[in-house]
């Protein structure tokens, strides 16, 4: 669904691809229900662990401080807990990408729904890189100085907004 309107400065256009499966009446009903929900302004935000990218939210780490195994485990758990606070709604700025049509719109037989969103602090663009993020766990001050969790939350956000090019 494409509206021919221009986006204003405080808004931007994104697209949600949805399938319309014709081989199964129940599947088709569910597909139309999901499309109606989007048209009604409802976007489902999933737990990042349930997304189809096997590297979603993953990272490698190094430890130049020879931190104890228990402390590394504790820091990793704190990052994991912060990631669990986030939910993800996958959208794209490109309505013509053939891979999006193939993977998410019934092999080119589904729809791309145009959505106008207001810019806000809860919407992040994904940064694509050659490798998964690497965190220096040993040097992270994830301790009493991170009482409000802001340092750990920033790391979690970084991990969920940086992905590999693949």
């Amino acid at each position: 669904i494409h509206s021919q309107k221009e986006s204003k400065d405080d808004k931007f256009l994104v697209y949600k691809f949805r399938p319309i499966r014709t081989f199964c009446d129940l599947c088709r009903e569910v597909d139309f229900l999901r499309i109606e929900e989007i048209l009604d302004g409802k976007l489902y935000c999933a737990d990042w662990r349930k997304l189809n990218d096997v590297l979603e939210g993953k990272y490698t780490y190094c430890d130049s401080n020879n931190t104890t195994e228990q402390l590394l485990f504790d820091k990793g758990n704190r990052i994991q807990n912060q990631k669990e606070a986030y939910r993800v709604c996958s959208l794209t700025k490109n309505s013509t990408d053939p891979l999006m049509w193939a993977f998410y719109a019934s092999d080119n037989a589904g729809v791309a729904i145009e959505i106008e969103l207001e810019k806000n602090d809860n919407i992040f663009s994904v940064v694509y890189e050659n490798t998964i993020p690497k965190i220096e766990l040993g040097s992270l001050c994830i301790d009493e100085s991170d009482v409000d969790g802001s340092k750990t939350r920033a790391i979690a956000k970084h991990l969920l907004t940086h992905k590999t090019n693949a």
Side-chain angles (χ1 to χ4, degrees):
I1 297 173
H2 182 67
S3 68
Q4 297 296 320
K5 62 184 173 184
E6 291 291 318
S7 233
K8 297 173 181 53
D9 288 340
D10 59 338
K11 297 183 179 188
F12 60 101
L13 298 177
V14 292
Y15 300 87
K16 181 70 174 176
F17 286 82
R18 294 300 305 169
I20 300 177
R21 294 168 284 194
T22 56
F23 57 84
C24 163
D25 289 339
L26 180 59
C27 296
R28 191 171 44 256
E29 276 184 47
V30 170
D31 292 341
F32 283 126
L33 179 63
R34 296 296 169 256
I35 291 168
E36 285 178 25
E37 288 173 350
I38 294 168
L39 294 175
D40 287 340
K42 299 174 187 168
L43 291 172
Y44 176 73
C45 296
D47 181 314
W48 62 272
R49 294 168 293 192
K50 300 208 190 278
L51 300 176
N52 64 354
D53 182 349
V54 296
L55 295 178
E56 194 80 49
K58 301 291 192 270
Y59 63 96
T60 59
Y61 72 90
C62 58
D63 174 30
S64 59
N65 291 356
N66 294 321
T67 309
T68 67
E69 191 173 319
Q70 181 59 46
L71 190 53
L72 285 174
F73 181 77
D74 292 344
K75 290 180 180 192
N77 274 347
R78 290 182 75 173
I79 292 170
Q80 178 74 12
N81 290 340
Q82 287 293 344
K83 286 192 303 184
E84 289 175 8
Y86 284 97
R87 295 293 179 263
V88 177
C89 180
S90 300
L91 304 164
T92 182
K93 294 178 185 176
N94 185 349
S95 66
T96 61
D97 185 324
L99 289 177
M100 299 301 285
W101 281 99
F103 290 133
Y104 302 110
S106 300
D107 291 322
N108 302 307
V111 295
I113 302 170
E114 182 180 86
I115 303 165
E116 185 176 69
L117 295 177
E118 290 185 25
K119 294 178 182 175
N120 71 56
D121 293 340
N122 293 316
I123 298 174
F124 310 104
S125 291
V126 173
V127 176
Y128 291 93
E129 299 173 332
N130 291 329
T131 60
I132 64 174
K134 186 172 191 173
I135 305 294
E136 169 58 75
L137 275 181
S139 66
L140 290 177
C141 292
I142 303 175
D143 52 24
E144 297 77 33
S145 67
D146 191 26
V147 174
D148 65 353
S150 59
K151 292 176 187 176
T152 317
R153 196 169 21 266
I155 293 166
K157 179 180 135 187
H158 177 84
L159 295 174
L160 293 174
T161 58
H162 288 72
K163 298 177 69 152
T164 62
N165 291 324

